[in-house]
Amino acid sequence: MPASGKHRRPKQHKIARKLAFAGSGGAALALPLISATTAGAAVAQPAAAPAVRTVALPAAEPAAKPAAEKAAAPMIYSVVGGDTLAKIATEHSVSGGWQALYDANREVIGSNPSVIRPGLKLTLGGAAKAAAARATALAAKPAAAPAAVKTYANNLDGWIRQSLDIMARHGIPGTYNGIHRNVMRESSGNPLAINNWDSNAAAGIPSKGLLQVIDPTFRAYHVPGTAMDSYDPVANITAACNYAAARYGSIDNVNGAY
């Protein structure tokens, strides 16, 4: 009955409930769809980046290779009238100048670098550079160490040996024994010995030194490379042996006053 009856919630139509469910739950379902669309757009952007990298990489290599091959290839030059090696080397900037150019083409040019005939084919490239490199290497090579200087004892043995070496260079004959024998007879090995009593001394030209040589004879037979002093033991021996060679054939042939 209307007065005492209970109030009942009005029934919603099944279609309305479904719509309400769809209205409340559809929003939750719509969010992933929107996010997925947004994510899809974000993923699509980096996809273009690889295309930029792959286009740029291969382009540089083919251009450099022909240039390197061209630089390595030797240049051939045909000689014309009025050419000289120096002129060609200067005009074509040949490393090492005309010397390197000649060295690289020696077989073509011949033994005289001043003569090059028109029509000759000269290599200006790799061979000339190699020749310049060889020249540079030779220039950089350390110089040979100078020969050791021979030393002699400052006594009669050393004086005789030094004199014999000088005599050998000048073609003066004589032996150690021949020199030593005459020195001991003339001065007893004293390089400052002087004879003040014989005819030479009376004439004002006394005999001096190891082999008792007068000054005029010493000057006439002095050997270059020795001291100009008749008291110098090496100079005295060498000059006396030079005189003995001229007069007696060798100091070895002298057995008394000479």
Side-chain angles (χ1 to χ4, degrees):
M1 291 185 294
S4 59
K6 293 181 180 179
H7 294 283
R8 292 185 292 180
R9 181 181 296 178
K11 288 184 178 180
Q12 291 180 333
H13 197 274
K14 289 182 179 181
I15 294 174
R17 286 202 304 273
K18 289 179 180 179
L19 288 173
F21 178 79
S24 60
L29 293 174
L31 289 174
L33 292 176
I34 294 169
S35 299
T37 304
T38 307
V43 170
Q45 288 179 358
V52 175
R53 290 195 298 271
T54 52
V55 171
L57 284 175
E61 288 187 26
K65 189 174 181 181
E69 290 176 352
K70 183 177 180 182
M75 177 180 173
I76 304 300
Y77 176 81
S78 182
V79 176
V80 298
D83 272 343
T84 64
L85 291 181
K87 178 182 176 184
I88 297 168
T90 300
E91 290 179 351
H92 295 275
S93 302
V94 175
S95 177
W98 73 265
Q99 295 93 336
L101 182 59
Y102 174 59
D103 190 23
N105 297 276
R106 188 183 298 268
E107 293 183 2
V108 176
I109 297 170
S111 61
N112 188 352
S114 300
V115 179
I116 53 173
R117 300 185 303 276
L120 285 179
K121 305 296 183 184
L122 304 181
T123 301
L124 306 185
K129 289 181 180 178
R134 288 195 299 272
T136 302
L138 288 174
K141 188 177 180 180
V149 178
K150 189 173 182 179
T151 58
Y152 304 90
N154 188 26
N155 54 29
L156 180 58
D157 177 74
W159 301 330
I160 294 175
R161 293 186 186 281
Q162 185 176 355
S163 182
L164 283 170
D165 286 343
I166 296 171
M167 289 163 58
R169 291 198 295 270
H170 290 271
I172 302 170
T175 65
Y176 185 99
N177 289 336
I179 295 172
H180 189 273
R181 182 183 71 251
N182 281 284
V183 165
M184 297 310 293
R185 185 189 68 251
E186 294 291 335
S187 66
S188 300
N190 178 12
L192 299 179
I194 184 170
N195 185 326
N196 289 315
W197 54 266
D198 67 0
S199 59
N200 287 325
I205 47 171
S207 302
K208 302 176 182 177
L210 290 174
L211 284 172
Q212 293 293 283
V213 183
I214 61 175
D215 285 341
T217 301
F218 176 81
R219 288 192 295 268
Y221 291 93
H222 173 260
V223 177
T226 63
M228 191 56 123
D229 177 6
S230 58
Y231 283 113
D232 180 88
V234 174
N236 186 282
I237 291 173
T238 310
C241 288
N242 194 23
Y243 164 73
R247 185 163 183 179
Y248 304 102
S250 170
I251 190 69
D252 295 340
N253 298 329
V254 177
N255 295 293
Y258 64 112

